[in-house]
Amino acid sequence: MELMARYEDNHFDLAIVDPPYGIGADVAKNGSKGQRDYYNTETWDVKPDKEYFTELQRVSKNQIIWGANHLGYMPSSSCWIVWNKENGNNSYADCELAYASFKTAVRKVDIRWHGMLQHDMKNKEVRIHPTQKPVKLYEWLLMNYAEKGQKILDTHLGSGSIAMACHNLKYDLTACELDTEYYNAAMKRLDQHTAQLRLI
């Protein structure tokens, strides 16, 4: 909220956010390898209040909001994004939903993402956050809903996947993360990614 208060109306062209859904992800018993040892005792999974969404819509011309089916407060929209995680038979959700403010139809993207199983098994992403999303998913969003030169906002950086996608596709990203350890881990992940690209 402090970050968004710095900006005038419609400063950002697109906000792509993945806020906490309030579904207990902070106390889940399925932390992925590499996540913090005290993951099961965290209390960060508290969904934002209505004021957050009002402010998000003020500072951005369009929004893509993951988990909006859990969050409420969304205006009606013809455009929802369905991410099919292709994760097989298990207790996890088959898909995740994102509200989108665009005047287009519902769209589906298929990107495998379940623990050790990922869309690109030769170049697997290191999981550092319990609700981490793949870089490829953010790249798909940018390629389908953003235009070159646009300013992107993310209010919940988490694992930094969006930062890597914005770097890959050359988008200007403004993002914040309140948790110092997750922020540092995301910056390390981004630094390693950009260093690898420089070597290539």
Side-chain angles (χ1 to χ4, degrees), residues 13-177:
D13 298 288
L14 175 60
I16 303 176
V17 298
D18 188 16
Y21 303 169
I23 60 172
D26 52 350
V27 293
K29 301 302 180 191
N30 54 12
S32 297
K33 184 178 178 183
Q35 293 165 1
R36 300 194 299 211
D37 292 338
Y38 57 91
Y39 162 59
N40 291 342
T41 64
E42 296 178 54
T43 56
W44 54 262
D45 191 12
V46 178
K47 65 182 177 181
D49 57 22
K50 186 176 182 180
E51 288 71 28
Y52 163 80
F53 297 100
T54 300
E55 186 70 347
L56 186 70
Q57 291 164 343
R58 180 189 70 78
V59 299
S60 57
K61 297 171 188 172
N62 281 294
Q63 305 82 36
I64 295 173
I65 303 171
W66 285 107
N69 51 311
H70 297 287
L71 301 171
Y73 313 124
M74 301 303 121
S76 64
S77 174
S78 62
C79 181
W80 283 72
I81 297 162
V82 180
W83 169 32
N84 175 15
K85 299 192 278 187
E86 301 181 343
N87 59 11
N89 277 336
N90 56 65
S91 60
Y92 297 97
D94 294 338
C95 301
E96 288 196 33
L97 302 177
Y99 161 91
S101 60
F102 297 92
K103 307 291 187 229
T104 58
V106 172
R107 295 289 178 241
K108 182 179 78 136
V109 55
D110 300 322
I111 301 173
R112 189 174 202 188
W113 191 253
H114 175 63
M116 294 296 291
L117 301 176
Q118 297 183 13
H119 61 281
D120 183 356
M121 293 297 286
K122 290 182 181 177
N123 299 292
K124 290 177 64 173
E125 295 182 36
V126 175
R127 301 286 294 272
I128 64 170
H129 192 284
T131 62
Q132 182 171 327
K133 290 180 170 53
V135 173
K136 184 176 179 181
L137 178 63
Y138 285 106
E139 289 178 340
W140 185 90
L141 293 173
L142 292 167
M143 288 186 288
N144 286 276
Y145 295 99
E147 297 176 10
K148 293 296 181 186
Q150 289 189 335
K151 293 183 225 170
I152 310 299
L153 170 67
D154 181 8
T155 56
H156 295 79
L157 181 65
S159 67
S161 291
I162 191 173
M164 294 169 69
C166 284
H167 176 82
N168 292 347
L169 299 177
K170 300 184 174 22
Y171 280 94
D172 178 15
L173 174 69
T174 298
C176 65
E177 171 57 53

